[in-house]
Amino acid sequence: MNYLAHIFLSGDNRKVQIGNFVGDAVKGRAYEKYPIDFRRGILLHRAIDDYTDHHPLVREAIELLRGEFGRYAGVMTDIYFDYFLAMGFKRYTGKSLWRFTLGFYVALVRNYRYLPERFKGFLWHFILTNRLVKYASLSGIRRSLEIMVEYKHLGVEPDRAIEFLVANRMQLQGIFERFLPDVWEMCHAKLNEDLIIN
């Protein structure tokens, strides 16, 4: 799952959302230096990654993409899933994507001091270009891919990735819509259990 999905799957607690958002940048037991709700988000991020890595529907999507994208099939699955989530956000969640992301951006600014340095480096560009809302359009996905090619050396041709998405949209969206309730149920259970954080 990519940024938008990780944030949405965190529930309504903004600090849990932020912890989940930055989870990739917090390695090992470094999460212990964060306040409790951030820690819950970081640990939830890890749980989501583990769950998706082993879920048969995600594996089905990755296999569909592997012939076109090779070792980047998993990354592209994450991006496509965020596109489907953003595009149908109101239908899937009952919430306005614009209001949801605006509230999250405000929370990021208020909790700036807790962000890992890597996130501080791109935060203002991320907010000012409204990246989360841009996931809802093909042009926004293309721009996200261009950024990843430039800064993360993603070995994917953005225009070809968009062509693949358009050509395989029905199948990929069907996989996503079957997967979303499963991962939501897992996250809901995690958020409602007494997490042992030490």
Side-chain angles (χ1 to χ4, degrees), residues 49 98 134 142 178 182:
D49 283 354
W98 187 86
K134 294 288 176 63
R142 180 185 289 106
R178 284 181 285 146
D182 289 356

Coordinates of all heavy atoms in Angstrom, one line a residue, residues 49 98 134 142 178 182:
D49 N 2.2 -3.8 5.9 CA 3.2 -4.2 4.9 C 3.3 -5.8 4.9 O 3.3 -6.4 3.9 CB 4.5 -3.6 5.1 CG 4.6 -2.2 4.6 OD1 3.7 -1.7 4.0 OD2 5.7 -1.5 4.9
W98 N -10.8 15.5 -0.4 CA -10.2 16.8 -0.2 C -10.2 17.2 1.3 O -9.1 17.6 1.8 CB -11.0 17.9 -0.9 CG -10.4 19.2 -0.9 CD1 -9.5 19.7 -1.8 CD2 -10.7 20.3 0.0 NE1 -9.1 21.0 -1.4 CE2 -9.9 21.4 -0.3 CE3 -11.5 20.4 1.1 CZ2 -9.9 22.6 0.4 CZ3 -11.5 21.6 1.8 CH2 -10.7 22.7 1.5
K134 N -4.0 14.4 -5.8 CA -3.6 14.2 -7.2 C -3.6 12.7 -7.5 O -3.6 12.4 -8.7 CB -2.2 14.8 -7.4 CG -2.1 16.3 -7.3 CD -2.8 17.0 -8.5 CE -2.9 18.5 -8.4 NZ -1.6 19.2 -8.4
R142 N 0.8 9.9 -13.0 CA 2.0 10.1 -13.9 C 3.0 11.0 -13.3 O 4.2 10.7 -13.3 CB 1.6 10.7 -15.3 CG 2.7 10.8 -16.2 CD 2.4 11.5 -17.5 NE 1.5 10.7 -18.4 CZ 0.3 10.8 -18.5 NH1 -0.4 11.8 -17.9 NH2 -0.4 10.0 -19.3
R178 N -11.8 -6.2 -3.9 CA -11.9 -7.4 -3.0 C -10.9 -7.3 -1.9 O -11.2 -7.9 -0.8 CB -11.7 -8.6 -3.9 CG -12.8 -9.0 -4.8 CD -12.6 -10.2 -5.6 NE -11.7 -10.0 -6.7 CZ -10.8 -10.8 -7.1 NH1 -10.6 -12.0 -6.6 NH2 -10.0 -10.5 -8.2
D182 N -10.6 -6.6 3.3 CA -9.8 -7.5 4.1 C -8.7 -6.7 4.9 O -8.5 -6.9 6.1 CB -9.0 -8.5 3.2 CG -10.0 -9.6 2.6 OD1 -11.2 -9.6 3.0 OD2 -9.5 -10.4 1.8

